[in-house]
């Protein structure tokens, strides 16, 4: 806040000149009087001695080696410890364009103390003043009230004496997730001022992330237990301001925050136009601004912001941008040399860009950005791409100012542990890329090693990135090491080892559902579902993946779903759209998952399971009408009409299919039309040119579809239907003049002349054909010449050597074609025609001297002497022959000796024992050739002799006399007189 009497020691002319020209001299006076009132701080392991101040100006750090820094002038101060061996000598400070002038005259050393007062300035003070009055140099009402409260406390002796020192209890990042503090609160000996603790906690909004606070003497004693319980996990505590002010509440605040488990760090409020950056840095480090790698202590913080003191010039302290940049560099170099860490810089984008001329020189420093809103940290100051800490409110939810860390608990812990012993060569491509990424507060973070160069590349590691530059590419590529791909890259061995991925060829690129990055020997992918997978480029599968188009293109395999896994005889890897296999014999083959064959392969179990196809032996090949692919245990085909079908190679049908030539060759079966289907007693599968069956008894048989028998089998219904032939019992066998194949219910034959005919085995004719010997044997019928044809009352079928008939009454009968009767039957017209005999009523029966067979309309006989003769049953003579007993009986005529012969007026036929005649007028008569009359009639010349033909049958009276009429005589026989004739009258 402004103290109106704070410049009373300046002569009026000097003050007017200072305020007019903006060249207020830098005053690096030793605060002797203040030192007498404020005991020196306890020295921490990270605190070293305060720097000496040379009369007449600021300290040049390069001129004072650390080991020669004299003890503080404060008689109450403790002697400083020896500097750590890890600490380097102070680097030379960059000279300011306009260096500090001589201090005021003797006796005026209290001016800065009085200006700063007991409260001093605090982080965010300028923003708060701008919000209330629009002027960063006009105190807020809260400041005025608080100053009165502090003056009252001072008058009453209630103000603590400023001192340094802090302790470092054991701590780790896990406590950030704890609901309550693992340790006790602040020292009970220092009372908490309730009013100060509750000032302006109006806001309850918090951005997501790890919450923290910053406090100063403006908060007096802080209730750290309450802050922890509200969610604060880190704190920044003001330690010093310029070179004369120490926070009197520092111990309660710094140690109290640590006691409840918070990370904590100290900050210095810069007054850059009163002393050099090195002087203020040394004062800060000597009085609580140190750092140690204890995992608890946050890096030192430089609060460089709006000038709160109007007496010290404008908002930029009357300093040029170059002077301001040089001062900050001087402060930073000194803190780095003293502590091993560069300070984090606190500021606003507005102030920084205005007062440093938008300098990008400190992009390698962490950034603590101030911007009070509920939207976001806003635009970053020049040089930074992002922030480490965002101060988002001065009105709650926490006491003091509320902050959020840009990262998770592990990253906050690493932020506390890191040292800054490494440099970034910003004139090198890696350094330039690091600056472009936001420097230390950007995506890469601070360096964790120095740049190292090898013949082909240079590399450097950062908090969150390992960067490479190669001469071949001429570009910088990075690995985001905290990310999943980066972690997997490190686990692979990074650049070294048999499974290492090598130097990145591209930077990681993220899309809505995945991230990817290419390395020398691998292309890595990450997705939330699958984690990190890689295509290993030097390996055969990786090479093939790349050749197929990687993740893009019509035949590309897509993102790896798994990493490559190798077994004794093969390696395999699954991708989005393919499963790839490699073996020494076959090279790389894939099952393409989105394609029908690949889908079917996957559905069948892939390479494992009872019905799985196994590893692909070839890649899928497509032709105009189909696609095909061979696997260990199957050959798969796809067509638009049939979908996916397979020939299963280990199974009998598949083996037989393969042995037949697969899909190519004279006897090949062609592409499967269906998949193999198994039933209790058999399995079957249809192919382009064959239907195959397997049973334990018969093995594999096929109906060859393009061949006549196969076509006929298919037309008959295959294995199902009333007239179907059933499963093949044999394969088709071809001979010079015909082919044949046996089925369950038929034996099929083909010849060029007759085409396909079958003997239908379950039917009576077929059974009889089979019983007769089929096509072989003395009584066999031979090959069917026709197929069986059925009519309302009978069925018939012609064979090579027989014509068979079946009826319900007679069963099966045949006309045996090669035999005389059969030939004669056939010559007579078979079953059709005027003189045809009709269907056989019996089968031919042979006796020692003759053979005979009955037909519908004839009874046929054959003997060696007479050949074939018939009794034509429907004709009068045949009827009479039959009525007389046929060939057996007392009055039977016997076997026909001739066939019936017809003339214009009559018909006649000779039998063994009779000659029969028929005429329309006289009906049938016969002459008994064995009787006396018949013998006499024969002796007369029969029909051509004097008697002529009979005109009536013989009539006998007992055994003593018989008579018979002929055309021209009447013949009478008596036992006593024999035969005599009488002429008939004309």
């Amino acid at each position: 806040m402004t103290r109106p009497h704070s410049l009373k020691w300046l002569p009026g002319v000097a003050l007017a000149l200072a305020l007019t020209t903006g060249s207020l001299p830098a005053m690096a006076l030793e605060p002797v009087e203040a030192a007498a009132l404020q005991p020196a701080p306890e020295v921490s392991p990270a605190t070293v001695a305060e720097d000496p101040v040379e009369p007449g100006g600021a300290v040049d750090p390069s001129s004072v080696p650390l080991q020669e820094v004299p003890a503080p002038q404060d008689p109450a101060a403790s002697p400083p410890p020896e500097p750590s061996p890890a600490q380097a000598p102070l680097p030379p400070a960059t000279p300011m364009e306009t260096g500090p002038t001589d201090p005021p005259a003797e006796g005026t050393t209290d001016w800065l103390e009085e200006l700063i007062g007991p409260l001093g300035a605090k982080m965010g003070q300028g923003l708060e003043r701008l919000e209330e009055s629009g002027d960063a140099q006009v105190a807020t009402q809260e400041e005025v009230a608080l100053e009165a409260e502090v003056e009252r406390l001072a008058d009453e002796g209630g103000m603590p004496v400023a001192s340094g020192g802090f302790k470092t209890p054991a701590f780790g990042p896990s406590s950030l997730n704890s609901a309550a503090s693992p340790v006790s609160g602040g020292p009970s000996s220092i009372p908490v001022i309730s009013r100060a603790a509750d000032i302006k906690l109006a806001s309850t909004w918090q951005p997501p992330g790890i919450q923290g606070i910053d406090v100063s003497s403006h908060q007096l004693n802080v209730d750290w237990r309450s802050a922890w319980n509200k969610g604060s996990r880190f704190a920044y505590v003001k330690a010093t301001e310029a070179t004369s002010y120490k926070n009197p509440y520092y111990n309660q605040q710094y140690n109290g925050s640590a006691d409840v488990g918070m990370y904590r760090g100290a900050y210095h409020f810069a007054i850059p136009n009163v002393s050099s950056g090195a002087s203020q840095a040394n004062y800060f480090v000597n009085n609580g601004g140190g750092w140690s790698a204890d995992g608890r202590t946050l890096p030192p913080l430089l609060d460089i912001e709006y000038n709160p003191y109007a007496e010290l010039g404008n908002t930029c302290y009357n300093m040029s941008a170059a002077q301001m940049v040089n001062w900050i560099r001087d402060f930073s170099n000194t803190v780095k040399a003293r502590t091993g860490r560069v300070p984090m810089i606190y500021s606003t984008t507005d102030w920084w860009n205005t007062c440093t001329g938008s300098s990008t020189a400190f992009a390698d420093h962490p950034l603590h950005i101030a911007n009070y809103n509920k939207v976001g940290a806003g635009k970053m100051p020049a040089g930074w791409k992002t922030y480490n800490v965002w101060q988002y409110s001065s009105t709650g939810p926490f006491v003091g100012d509320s902050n959020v860390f840009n990262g998770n608990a592990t990253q906050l812990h690493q932020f506390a542990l890191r040292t800054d012993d490494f440099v970034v060569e910003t004139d090198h491509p890696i350094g330039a890329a690091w600056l472009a990424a936001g420097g230390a507060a950007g995506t890469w973070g601070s360096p964790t090693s120095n740049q190292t160069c090898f013949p082909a590349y240079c590399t450097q590691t950062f908090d969150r990135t390992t960067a490479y530059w190669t001469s071949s590419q001429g570009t910088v590529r990075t690995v985001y090491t905290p990310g999943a791909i980066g972690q997997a890259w490190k686990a692979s061995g990074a650049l070294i080892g048999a499974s290492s991925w090598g130097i990145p060829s591209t930077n990681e690129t993220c899309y809505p559902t995945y991230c990817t990055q290419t390395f020398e020997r691998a292309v890595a992918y990450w997705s939330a579902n699958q984690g990190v997978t890689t295509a290993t480029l030097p390996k055969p599968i990786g090479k093939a993946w790349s050749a197929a188009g990687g993740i893009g293109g019509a035949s590309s395999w897509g993102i790896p779903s798994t990493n490559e896994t190798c077994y004794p005889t093969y390696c395999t890897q699954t991708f989005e759209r393919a499963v790839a296999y490699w073996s020494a014999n076959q090279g790389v083959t894939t099952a393409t998952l989105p394609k029908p064959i690949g889908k079917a392969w996957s559905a069948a179990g892939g390479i494992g399971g009872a019905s799985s196809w196994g590893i692909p032996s070839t890649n899928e090949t497509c032709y105009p009408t189909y696609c095909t692919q061979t696997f260990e245990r199957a050959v798969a085909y796809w067509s638009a009409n049939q979908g996916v079908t397979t020939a299963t190679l280990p199974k009998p049908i598949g083996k037989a299919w393969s042995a037949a030539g697969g899909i190519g060759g004279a006897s090949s079966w062609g592409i499967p039309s269906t998949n193999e289907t198994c039933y209790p007693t058999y399995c079957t599968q249809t192919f382009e040119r064959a239907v195959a069956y397997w049973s334990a008894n018969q093995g594999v048989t096929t109906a060859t579809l393009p061949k006549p028998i196969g076509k006929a089998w298919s037309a008959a219904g295959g294995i199902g239907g009333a007239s179907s032939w059933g499963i093949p019992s044999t394969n088709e066998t071809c001979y010079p003049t015909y082919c044949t194949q046996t089925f369950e219910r038929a034996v099929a034959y083909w010849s060029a002349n007759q085409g396909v005919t079958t003997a239908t085995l379950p039917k009576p004719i077929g059974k009889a054909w089979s019983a007769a010997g089929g096509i072989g044997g003395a009584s066999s019928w031979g090959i069917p010449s026709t197929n069986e044809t059925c009519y309302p009352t009978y069925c018939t079928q012609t064979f090579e050597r027989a014509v068979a008939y079946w009826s319900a009454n007679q069963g099966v009968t045949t006309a045996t074609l090669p035999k005389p009767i059969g030939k004669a039957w056939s010559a007579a017209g078979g079953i059709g025609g005027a003189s045809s005999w009709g269907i056989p009523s019996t089968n031919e029966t042979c006796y020692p001297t003759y053979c005979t067979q009955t037909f519908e309309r004839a009874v046929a006989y054959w003997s060696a002497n007479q050949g074939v003769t018939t009794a034509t049953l429907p004709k009068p003579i045949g009827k009479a022959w039959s009525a007389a007993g046929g060939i057996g009986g007392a009055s039977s005529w016997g076997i026909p000796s001739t066939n019936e012969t017809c003339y214009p007026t009559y018909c006649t036929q000779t039998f063994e024992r009779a000659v029969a005649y028929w005429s329309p007028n006289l009906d049938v008569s016969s002459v008994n050739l064995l009787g006396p009359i018949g013998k006499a009639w024969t002796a007369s010349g029969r029909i051509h002799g004097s008697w002529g033909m009979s005109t009536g049958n013989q009539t006998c009276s007992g055994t003593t006399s018989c008579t018979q009429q002929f055309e021209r005589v009447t013949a009478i026989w008596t036992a006593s007189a024999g035969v005599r004739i009488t002429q008939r009258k004309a």
Side-chain angles (χ1 to χ4, degrees):
M1 58 176 286
T2 303
R3 298 177 59 83
H5 57 281
S6 60
L7 296 183
K8 61 186 180 181
W9 52 271
L10 282 176
V13 174
L15 176 60
L17 177 63
L19 296 178
T20 301
T21 64
S23 59
L24 188 67
M27 303 170 185
L29 294 178
E30 212 173 318
V32 177
E33 297 178 10
L37 297 174
Q38 301 175 357
E42 300 174 11
V43 179
S44 73
T47 306
V48 295
E50 182 179 352
D51 60 310
V53 180
E54 298 177 3
V59 175
D60 179 358
S62 62
S63 65
V64 186
L66 282 177
Q67 63 269 27
E68 297 177 3
V69 175
Q73 299 301 313
D74 187 345
S78 302
E82 291 295 321
S84 166
Q87 292 171 325
L90 290 175
T94 304
M96 300 175 64
E97 288 185 355
T98 305
T101 60
D102 291 340
E106 189 70 26
T108 60
T109 56
D110 65 342
W111 75 273
L112 191 57
E113 290 183 60
E114 291 189 16
L115 177 64
I116 294 172
L119 285 176
K122 72 181 186 71
M123 285 172 63
Q125 184 167 276
L127 276 181
E128 292 182 40
R129 290 178 173 184
L130 287 171
E131 283 185 343
E132 182 170 300
S133 66
D135 189 337
Q137 294 183 335
V138 175
T140 65
Q141 294 180 6
E142 180 183 319
E143 288 179 60
V144 174
L146 184 58
E147 181 179 8
E149 180 74 11
V150 168
E151 287 181 348
R152 180 186 63 79
L153 288 172
D155 292 342
E156 296 174 357
M159 287 287 288
V161 176
S163 63
F166 58 89
K167 49 189 178 180
T168 57
F171 183 65
S174 60
S175 66
L176 292 179
N177 301 318
S178 173
S181 167
V183 294
S184 63
S188 58
S189 60
I190 302 178
V192 174
I193 308 301
S194 59
R195 180 187 177 282
D198 294 332
I199 289 175
K200 290 183 69 177
L201 296 182
S203 175
T204 59
W205 179 83
Q206 298 180 22
I210 299 176
Q211 301 297 312
I213 62 176
D214 63 77
V215 294
S216 65
S217 57
H218 288 235
Q219 281 70 48
L220 310 182
N221 291 324
V222 176
D223 185 347
W224 290 106
R225 174 76 64 185
S226 174
W228 174 276
N229 291 340
K230 288 180 179 180
S232 177
R233 294 297 180 264
F234 69 92
Y236 265 104
V237 175
K238 181 179 177 180
T240 55
E241 182 175 345
T243 55
S244 60
Y245 177 85
K246 302 175 189 175
N247 175 12
Y249 293 92
Y250 174 83
N251 280 345
Q252 192 277 342
Q253 293 174 348
Y254 193 85
N255 294 332
S257 59
D259 287 344
V260 297
M262 292 187 193
Y263 292 91
R264 76 283 189 260
Y267 79 83
H268 173 80
F269 194 99
I271 309 293
N273 64 345
V274 298
S275 56
S276 70
S279 296
Q280 294 194 30
N282 283 319
Y283 185 74
F284 171 49
V285 173
N286 291 345
N287 293 283
W291 177 83
S292 82
D294 56 6
R296 297 284 318 279
T297 307
L298 297 173
L301 176 63
L302 169 62
D303 180 359
I304 185 82
E305 58 170 296
Y306 303 100
N307 174 14
Y309 307 113
E311 295 86 346
L312 295 183
N314 62 19
T315 197
C316 299
Y317 300 90
N318 284 353
M319 295 173 71
S320 68
Q323 288 176 321
M324 188 66 73
V325 169
N326 286 336
W327 189 94
I328 296 170
R329 177 62 68 193
D330 192 25
F331 183 94
S332 173
N333 288 345
T334 305
V335 169
K336 169 71 181 299
R338 294 286 304 275
T339 68
R341 294 205 65 166
V342 297
M344 182 158 64
I345 294 176
Y346 170 92
S347 193
T348 69
T349 299
D350 166 58
W351 186 91
W352 183 268
N353 291 346
T354 298
C355 296
T356 70
S358 297
S359 172
T360 61
F362 300 96
D364 59 342
H365 288 51
L367 175 65
H368 191 154
I369 187 69
N371 193 345
Y372 298 161
N373 63 72
K374 297 182 180 180
V375 178
K379 182 180 179 181
M380 294 296 106
W384 284 284
K385 298 292 184 182
T386 187
Y387 60 89
N388 297 83
V389 180
W390 169 29
Q391 186 188 73
Y392 61 87
S393 172
S394 64
T395 59
F398 300 106
V399 64
D401 299 317
S402 298
N403 301 274
V404 64
F405 178 73
N406 188 10
N408 57 33
T410 299
Q411 290 169 327
L412 178 59
H413 188 61
Q414 291 170 344
F415 185 60
L417 277 174
R418 191 189 69 217
T419 61
D420 292 315
D421 295 332
F422 308 107
V423 298
V424 180
E425 301 175 28
T426 55
D427 56 346
H428 186 276
I430 288 178
W434 173 75
L435 281 178
T443 54
W444 297 15
S446 296
T448 56
S449 71
N450 289 317
Q451 179 173 299
T452 305
C453 287
F454 301 93
Y457 69 93
C458 294
T459 183
Q460 186 169 11
T461 59
F462 297 83
D463 280 332
R464 296 179 289 278
T465 296
T466 299
Y468 292 90
W469 175 85
T470 61
S471 56
S472 59
Q473 291 183 331
T475 56
V476 175
R477 302 301 186 193
T478 61
V479 182
Y480 179 64
T481 47
I485 290 179
Q487 291 293 312
W489 172 77
K490 289 167 67 177
S492 80
L495 273 62
I496 300 171
S499 58
S500 65
W501 300 357
I503 294 174
S505 305
T506 66
N507 291 321
E508 183 172 343
T509 304
C510 288
Y511 300 95
T513 57
Y514 71 95
C515 296
T516 182
Q517 185 168 11
T518 302
F519 297 83
E520 279 183 295
R521 297 182 288 277
V523 180
Y525 294 88
W526 173 87
S527 68
N529 292 332
Q530 292 172 333
V532 177
T533 56
T534 59
T536 310
L537 299 178
K539 292 187 177 180
I541 289 178
K543 285 181 179 176
W545 170 82
S546 180
I551 66 170
S555 57
S556 65
W557 302 356
I559 295 173
S561 304
T562 65
N563 290 316
E564 183 173 344
T565 305
C566 288
Y567 301 95
T569 58
Y570 70 95
C571 296
T572 182
Q573 184 170 11
T574 301
F575 297 83
E576 277 183 297
R577 296 183 289 277
V579 180
Y581 294 88
W582 173 86
S583 67
N585 293 332
Q586 292 174 333
V588 176
T589 57
T590 59
T592 310
L593 299 179
K595 292 186 177 181
I597 289 178
K599 285 182 179 176
W601 170 83
S602 181
I607 65 170
S611 58
S612 66
W613 302 356
I615 295 173
S617 303
T618 65
N619 289 318
E620 183 173 344
T621 305
C622 288
Y623 301 95
T625 58
Y626 71 94
C627 296
T628 182
Q629 185 170 8
T630 302
F631 297 83
E632 277 184 298
R633 297 183 288 277
V635 180
Y637 295 87
W638 172 87
S639 68
N641 293 332
Q642 291 173 333
V644 176
T645 57
T646 59
T648 310
L649 298 178
K651 292 186 177 181
I653 289 178
K655 285 181 179 177
W657 170 82
S658 181
I663 65 169
S667 58
S668 65
W669 301 356
I671 295 173
S673 304
T674 66
N675 290 317
E676 183 172 345
T677 305
C678 289
Y679 301 95
T681 58
Y682 71 94
C683 296
T684 182
Q685 185 170 9
T686 302
F687 298 82
E688 276 184 298
R689 297 184 288 276
V691 180
Y693 294 88
W694 172 86
S695 67
N697 294 330
Q698 292 174 332
V700 177
T701 56
T702 60
T704 310
L705 298 178
K707 292 185 177 181
I709 290 177
K711 285 182 179 176
W713 170 83
S714 180
I719 65 170
S723 58
S724 65
W725 301 356
I727 296 172
S729 304
T730 65
N731 289 317
E732 183 174 344
T733 305
C734 288
Y735 301 95
T737 58
Y738 71 95
C739 296
T740 183
Q741 185 171 10
T742 302
F743 297 85
E744 276 184 298
R745 297 184 288 277
V747 179
Y749 294 89
W750 171 86
S751 68
N753 293 331
Q754 292 174 333
V756 177
T757 57
T758 59
T760 310
L761 300 178
K763 291 186 177 181
I765 291 177
K767 285 182 179 176
W769 170 83
S770 180
I775 64 170
S779 58
S780 65
W781 301 356
I783 295 171
S785 304
T786 66
N787 288 317
E788 183 174 345
T789 305
C790 288
Y791 301 95
T793 58
Y794 71 96
C795 296
T796 182
Q797 184 171 9
T798 302
F799 297 84
E800 276 184 296
R801 297 184 289 277
V803 180
Y805 294 89
W806 171 87
S807 68
N809 293 330
Q810 293 173 335
V812 177
T813 57
T814 59
T816 310
L817 299 178
K819 292 186 176 180
I821 291 177
K823 286 182 179 177
W825 170 84
S826 179
I831 65 170
S835 57
S836 65
W837 300 357
I839 296 171
S841 303
T842 66
N843 289 316
E844 182 175 347
T845 305
C846 288
Y847 300 96
T849 58
Y850 70 95
C851 294
T852 182
Q853 184 172 10
T854 302
F855 297 85
E856 277 184 296
R857 295 183 292 278
V859 179
Y861 295 89
W862 171 87
S863 68
N865 292 332
Q866 293 175 333
V868 176
T869 57
T870 60
T872 309
L873 298 178
K875 293 184 177 182
I877 291 176
K879 285 181 179 178
W881 171 82
S882 180
I887 66 170
S891 57
S892 66
W893 299 357
I895 296 171
S897 302
T898 66
N899 288 317
E900 183 175 351
T901 305
C902 288
Y903 301 95
T905 58
Y906 71 96
C907 294
T908 183
Q909 184 172 7
T910 302
F911 296 87
E912 277 184 295
R913 295 184 291 278
V915 177
Y917 295 91
W918 171 87
S919 67
N921 295 330
L922 298 174
D923 203 5
V924 177
S925 62
S926 64
V927 179
N928 182 358
L929 296 177
L930 301 180
I933 294 176
K935 287 179 178 179
W937 175 75
T938 298
S940 72
R942 294 192 176 185
I943 191 173
H944 300 294
S946 58
W947 293 19
M949 72 176 180
S950 62
T951 57
N953 288 317
Q954 178 176 295
T955 304
C956 292
S957 297
T959 61
T960 58
S961 65
C962 294
T963 184
Q964 186 171 8
Q965 298 290 329
F966 291 88
E967 281 182 293
R968 293 182 289 278
V969 300
T970 299
I972 299 169
W973 171 84
T974 63
S976 57
V979 177
R980 67 179 189 279
I981 61 170
T982 60
Q983 295 293 323
R984 296 183 65 183
K985 294 181 180 180

